[in-house]
């Protein structure tokens, strides 16, 4: 067993052990450059199906494929040494049957992911159990599930009535019982985020949920100000990289047009033998 790589990533049991001890920090990434920078600051990196929107400009998350998520996963794995890498199962890659889910989850594990994430409540419990029993750690995802955008009729906050809240709590409990090691709570009423976090033994990862969740995740482009003006209410902008990029590119263009770049230090001399 001495040939195992030297890379010591955060493991799934370590993420689970964070519950009640310390907060879990997570971000998304889909490319080498970003993953390399964020690696040391986060506990896990998600190759989200939001890659469809932020990397490909698609209108929703529904058409990204397992091959595309696989390629992005491989790039993120190559860039990182510390964070646990979780890959999202795209729409249509797991809903058909548990066997289909296993085949596609194994594709992502083959690209270097440690775990997969999938959306859905009670209806997905059997699939979660199937994957976990066969060695694939699963992060569940309930509340606002972007893959259900057509069913929901938009990206609407969930669990805002007592009945809806009770249903989402029951779904989270079913997914925990099926063996999910963590669960993303997206776009749910704050009180529900707190209730689910208290009710479950596995960590909850909030995105538009509650500060009481065991961890938080954001789409990196959203929090860095790289995804345009319109972002969901739950996004906090920690930087405005769009502004920085625009002024840097403008500066570069001006210098090129004025023959001020490249300067002597950017040029090669002739080697005299
Ligand atoms: O696809 C994604 O980026 C996600 C996170 C926002 C949780 O699912």
């Amino acid at each position: 067993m001495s040939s195992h790589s030297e890379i010591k990533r955060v493991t799934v049991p370590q993420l689970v052990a964070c519950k009640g001890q310390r907060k879990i920090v997570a971000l998304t990434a889909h490319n080498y450059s970003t993953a390399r920078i964020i690696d040391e600051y986060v506990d896990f990196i998600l190759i989200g199906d939001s890659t469809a929107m932020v990397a490909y400009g698609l209108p929703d998350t529904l058409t990204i494929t397992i091959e595309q998520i696989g390629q992005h996963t491989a790039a993120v794995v190559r860039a990182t040494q510390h964070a646990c890498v979780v890959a999202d199962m795209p729409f249509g890659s797991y809903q058909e049957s548990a066997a289909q889910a296993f085949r596609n989850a194994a594709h992502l594990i083959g690209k270097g992911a440690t775990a997969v994430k999938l959306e859905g409540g009670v209806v997905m419990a059997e699939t979660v159990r199937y994957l976990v029993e066969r060695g694939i750690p699963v992060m569940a995802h309930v509340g606002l599930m972007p893959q259900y955008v057509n069913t929901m009729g938009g990206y609407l906050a969930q669990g805002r009535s007592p009945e809806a809240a009770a249903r989402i709590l029951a779904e989270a409990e079913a997914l925990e019982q099926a063996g999910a090691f963590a669960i993303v709570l997206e776009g749910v009423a704050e009180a529900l985020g707190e209730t689910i976090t208290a009710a479950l033994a596995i960590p909850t990862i909030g995105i538009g949920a509650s500060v009481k969740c065991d961890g938080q995740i954001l789409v990196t482009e959203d929090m860095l100000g790289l995804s345009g003006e319109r972002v969901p209410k739950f996004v906090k902008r920690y930087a405005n990289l769009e502004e920085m990029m625009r002024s840097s590119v403008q500066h570069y263009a001006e210098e090129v047009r004025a023959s001020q770049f490249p300067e002597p230090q950017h040029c090669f001399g002739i080697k005299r033998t």
Side-chain angles (χ1 to χ4, degrees):
M1 301 294 274
S2 59
S3 65
H4 280 187
S5 86
E6 291 303 306
I7 294 178
K8 287 259 176 286
R9 293 180 186 279
V10 175
T11 65
V12 164
Q14 284 169 341
L15 288 175
V16 177
C18 288
K19 177 108 188 169
Q21 300 301 313
R22 67 168 183 84
K23 294 281 189 180
I24 296 172
V25 182
L27 282 172
T28 64
H30 60 266
N31 65 45
Y32 184 94
S33 324
T34 305
R36 184 184 67 77
I37 296 168
I38 69 177
D39 183 34
E40 66 179 290
Y41 306 102
V42 299
D43 298 301
F44 76 87
I45 294 177
L46 173 72
I47 299 89
D49 57 0
S50 57
T51 297
M53 299 163 92
V54 293
Y56 293 96
L58 292 164
D60 52 45
T61 62
L62 298 177
T63 53
I64 196 156
T65 64
I66 191 76
E67 287 77 20
Q68 287 172 306
I69 292 285
Q71 291 298 327
H72 288 286
T73 298
V76 168
V77 168
R78 281 196 292 276
T80 55
Q81 311 206 338
H82 165 259
C84 184
V85 174
V86 182
D88 235 347
M89 304 276 303
F91 179 69
S93 73
Y94 60 97
Q95 289 90 345
E96 214 173 295
S97 67
Q100 182 213 24
F102 182 83
R103 189 169 58 253
N104 286 317
H107 176 80
L108 299 177
I109 300 294
K111 298 292 180 186
T114 298
V116 300
K117 176 170 84 60
L118 54 80
E119 296 181 11
V122 175
V123 73
M124 279 300 141
E126 198 187 314
T127 298
V128 169
R129 188 182 305 284
Y130 189 93
L131 297 182
V132 173
E133 284 178 349
R134 285 157 182 78
I136 298 184
V138 179
M139 181 176 287
H141 182 156
V142 298
L144 196 176
M145 296 178 284
Q147 293 182 10
Y148 285 74
V149 62
N150 291 326
T151 320
M152 291 184 301
Y155 298 101
L156 309 172
Q158 303 292 307
R160 300 182 83 175
S161 69
E163 300 74 30
R167 184 179 44 76
I168 295 172
L169 171 60
E171 304 210 290
E173 287 172 337
L175 291 158
E176 174 178 48
Q177 277 160 25
F181 75 88
I183 183 162
V184 169
L185 306 179
E186 178 166 354
V188 296
E190 193 179 1
L192 177 60
E194 190 175 343
T195 303
I196 296 178
T197 302
L200 300 191
I202 58 172
T204 58
I205 311 297
I207 172 161
S210 163
V211 73
K212 296 282 174 56
C213 288
D214 299 301
Q216 300 292 331
I217 186 164
L218 283 174
V219 173
T220 298
E221 285 74 6
D222 289 346
M223 60 89 79
L224 293 181
L226 279 172
S227 47
E229 281 310 307
R230 292 194 56 195
V231 287
K233 170 186 164 77
F234 52 71
V235 171
K236 177 171 176 183
R237 283 235 157 116
Y238 286 83
N240 190 344
L241 292 197
E242 175 165 340
E243 204 170 281
M244 285 182 71
M245 282 179 74
R246 283 183 184 280
S247 68
S248 308
V249 174
Q250 188 184 6
H251 189 187
Y252 165 73
E254 283 164 5
E255 290 201 349
V256 170
R257 290 188 182 112
S259 298
Q260 290 169 345
F261 176 83
E263 297 162 50
Q265 68 268 30
H266 306 120
C267 298
F268 300 98
I270 291 177
K271 272 189 185 161
R272 311 232 173 253
T273 48

